[in-house]
Amino acid sequence: MPDAASEDAVLLRGIWKRFPGVVANAGANLRVRRGTIHAVLGENGAGKSTLMNVLSGVYRPDEGDLVIDGRARRFSSPADAIAAGVGMVHQEFRLVPTFTVAENVVLGASPLRIDKRDISARVDALADQYGLAADPTRPVWQLSMGERQRVEILKALWRDARVLILDEPTAVLTPAEADELGGIIRRMADEGRSVIFISHKLDEVKAFCDEATVLRGGKTVAESLDVREIEPTRMAELMVGDAGASVAERPAPHPVGKPVLELRGVNALGSRGLPALIDADLTVNEGEIVGIAGVSGNGQRELADVVAGLTPTTSGSIVLAGVDVAGRPPRVRFKAGLAYIPEDRLGVGLAPALSVVDNAILRSYRAHRRGPLLAVERCKRFCEGLVEKFGVKVGNVDDRIGSLSGGNLQRLLLGRELSGEPRLVLAAQPTRGLDVQGVRAIQQLLVDQRDADTGVLLISEDLDELLTLADRLFVMSEGRLLAEFDPTTATRAEIGAAMAGADGAMR
Ligand SMILES: Nc1ncnc2c1ncn2[C@@H]1O[C@H](COP(=O)(O)OP(=O)(O)OP(=O)(O)O)[C@@H](O)[C@H]1O
Ligand SMILES: [Mg+2]
């Protein structure tokens, strides 16, 4: 039972958490009032996820106090935290793909043998109550990222979480889905629940949250700021610790060379066997960034997979740096000079069970071989060079890659891909989930590639990013590449209309 005398749902004091070689939390504090939405802010590696893992019972802190609803607590497992009313939706979802929505929601929480239809009806009622549209009978593997997230939230509500932690929930959402989520969490707060919201997008924090706490280097540098009172630029300053945070400027134009990627009449099917990429014609030349804008799920993933060779084409030709690669495996494309930064960092891009070093050399291991054996020291030096050059924060390069924060994973992946002097860089959502400095660093790396006469194909949901970086811009909608835009003259309204135009025509 909540202690009525305490209006604090959560009080964390002096939390320390150390990992080998890294101090993730160094005396962090957090106070979350009941019935409010509280933002936890900080750069990549600031210790946000770690602190939330402490609060949700995943980690035991080395030092510090946890008080939930006025009662001191010591959690030995997530189950303890759930029993105390604390639920967490992690950065990477933890659902069972072959189970239905309803089965996932009740999994582990309903020991009684309840009738299947009864469960579905009850999950449906809960979903309705919060506006979390999700068909309880559908298997999870068929759902979009936004739908999966709703299932994770339902799971926490099913267990009656009074404190709900959402770790970068909007990183996987479209802008419209993110707005919807804002409404859903407000409803929860109005009911007296508390929501902890982690995001790198300060406009969302401004729109959704009541208070904010800023972490830097594992410490709390500003606590319980009133979000209505504080400017987003000030929040950004607190996060980076200096005046930073000006808007990235458009890079100077660069002369364009020969084509490095040519798609002609390319068609491909999506995961449900329906046409997902339709008659794609596209050229990327040396020394230019070609941007692809659009709402996710309109064929961007298939476009990337077709270029990387991860999805077969049903017709059309693909020429990469002069090599006809249609129907050829990914290896042939990498040899021809492709660098691929996939949307799915821990799926296609990196191997979670391997160490940082092993992941770093995954693409170039032949070059690190002396005789039949890998030269261990050389691999390590190569990896340490990458870590240094691309600013990856890592305790020990022999650790499993799973211990890196989301942003640091992305830096390592980019570093690895760009170190091979590619002819074409294919980057899908490369800055998603990164903090201000991380975004800037990665955008600069893409511009550097362009200036070294590499072709860059940049797929992004962030229109500002595309308008700043792209030399030419296409809108993708319903599997088609629509009209080409000149980003120096096109307006957001024109591009937005193109995104919506084909959509309207389908109805
Ligand atoms: N299990 C672990 N083992 C070793 N180091 C870890 C582990 N978890 C986190 N770290 C390290 O602790 C630091 C803080 O990581 P954390 O994931 O809390 O950052 P974050 O603020 O959530 O960053 P991001 O915005 O990138 O998600 C990082 O340097 C990270 O590499
Ligand atoms: Mg994190």
Side-chain angles (χ1 to χ4, degrees), residues 202-496:
L202 297 179
D203 49 341
E204 284 174 2
V205 169
K206 192 88 186 157
F208 304 161
C209 299
D210 303 303
E211 293 188 333
T213 291
V214 183
L215 297 182
R216 195 194 316 149
K219 293 189 184 64
T220 299
V221 293
E223 202 180 355
S224 298
L225 301 167
D226 184 338
V227 170
R228 271 158 308 185
E229 306 270 284
I230 188 164
E231 285 302 313
T233 49
R234 177 69 192 135
M235 287 195 258
E237 278 169 27
L238 285 166
M239 284 159 60
V240 300
D242 61 36
S246 61
V247 176
E249 274 177 35
R250 202 175 164 72
H254 182 79
V256 171
K258 312 192 288 289
V260 282
L261 177 70
E262 292 172 276
L263 302 189
R264 293 291 168 261
V266 174
N267 285 275
L269 302 177
S271 56
R272 291 187 197 175
L274 299 172
L277 186 65
I278 302 161
D279 295 334
D281 283 314
L282 181 70
T283 302
V284 180
N285 298 303
E286 291 170 346
E288 69 171 350
I289 299 178
V290 174
I292 307 287
V295 175
S296 74
N298 274 281
Q300 296 95 319
R301 182 182 285 263
E302 286 79 7
L303 173 66
D305 283 352
V306 152
V307 173
L310 299 170
T311 286
T313 51
T314 50
S315 62
S317 75
I318 305 175
V319 177
L320 209 163
V323 183
D324 182 353
V325 296
R328 314 292 306 278
R331 161 169 57 79
V332 174
R333 300 162 196 239
F334 291 127
K335 236 178 118 193
L338 172 70
Y340 182 31
I341 297 136
E343 190 178 338
D344 183 0
R345 296 164 206 177
L346 269 183
V348 184
L350 297 164
L354 296 183
S355 70
V356 176
V357 177
D358 290 341
N359 272 283
I361 62 159
L362 216 51
R363 283 260 274 113
S364 54
Y365 70 96
R366 280 206 179 85
H368 293 279
R369 224 159 53 173
R370 188 181 280 146
L373 296 174
L374 287 170
V376 175
E377 273 311 309
R378 192 147 27 116
C379 292
K380 215 164 164 170
R381 271 205 306 280
F382 171 76
C383 177
E384 280 161 359
L386 276 189
V387 161
E388 163 99 30
K389 180 163 172 213
F390 292 92
V392 186
K393 272 184 79 182
V394 52
N396 188 331
V397 292
D398 291 320
D399 288 349
R400 274 170 54 135
I401 200 150
S403 66
L404 263 62
S405 82
N408 283 311
L409 285 175
Q410 185 74 334
R411 283 177 199 230
L412 182 74
L413 179 59
L414 254 125
R416 183 187 77 195
E417 292 296 314
L418 299 186
S419 63
E421 297 184 0
R423 303 285 310 277
L424 176 76
V425 175
L426 168 58
Q429 320 294 351
T431 59
R432 179 191 269 176
L434 297 188
D435 60 38
V436 181
Q437 288 193 338
V439 167
R440 207 66 59 69
I442 284 183
Q443 290 179 340
Q444 189 58 50
L445 287 171
L446 293 177
V447 172
D448 291 347
Q449 287 292 323
R450 181 201 73 163
D451 291 348
D453 293 325
T454 308
V456 179
L457 181 57
L458 173 62
I459 301 175
S460 177
E461 277 159 32
D462 184 340
L463 200 48
D464 292 323
E465 171 166 281
L466 291 170
L467 286 171
T468 312
L469 295 186
D471 298 299
R472 295 189 291 131
L473 186 59
F474 292 86
V475 168
M476 201 161 187
S477 181
E478 300 286 347
R480 291 175 195 275
L481 286 164
L482 303 178
E484 182 179 333
F485 291 90
D486 174 355
T488 59
T489 55
T491 65
R492 296 179 62 91
E494 281 166 356
I495 296 170

Side-chain angles (χ1 to χ4, degrees), residues 68-92:
I68 311 293
D69 282 328
R71 279 185 58 186
R73 300 279 189 174
R74 228 165 255 279
F75 298 146
S76 307
S77 69
D80 286 354
I82 288 164
V86 178
M88 176 157 174
V89 176
H90 289 269
Q91 255 170 309
E92 281 86 29

Side-chain angles (χ1 to χ4, degrees), residues 106-233:
V106 303
L107 187 68
S110 297
L112 300 175
R113 288 174 181 277
I114 316 174
D115 185 281
K116 252 198 178 147
R117 261 171 310 173
D118 192 33
I119 291 185
S120 284
R122 283 168 57 191
V123 169
D124 211 23
L126 186 67
D128 260 6
Q129 186 185 339
Y130 291 95
L132 287 158
D135 177 352
T137 62
R138 273 180 74 191
V140 157
W141 64 266
Q142 288 185 351
L143 305 182
S144 71
M145 291 307 257
E147 290 168 315
R148 285 178 204 210
Q149 181 174 75
R150 281 180 223 143
V151 179
E152 289 273 11
I153 295 173
L154 279 172
K155 227 176 137 106
L157 289 171
W158 183 266
R159 288 154 181 77
D160 196 25
R162 293 188 306 283
V163 175
L164 180 68
I165 304 165
L166 301 174
D167 195 353
E168 294 195 37
T170 58
V172 296
L173 300 183
T174 64
E177 284 176 325
D179 280 345
E180 238 172 85
L181 179 68
I184 291 162
I185 58 179
R186 180 51 66 192
R187 214 167 306 173
M188 293 181 197
D190 288 345
E191 269 193 345
R193 298 179 201 273
S194 307
V195 180
I196 300 179
F197 181 84
I198 299 181
S199 174
H200 292 290
K201 299 176 195 160
L202 297 179
D203 49 341
E204 284 174 2
V205 169
K206 192 88 186 157
F208 304 161
C209 299
D210 303 303
E211 293 188 333
T213 291
V214 183
L215 297 182
R216 195 194 316 149
K219 293 189 184 64
T220 299
V221 293
E223 202 180 355
S224 298
L225 301 167
D226 184 338
V227 170
R228 271 158 308 185
E229 306 270 284
I230 188 164
E231 285 302 313
T233 49

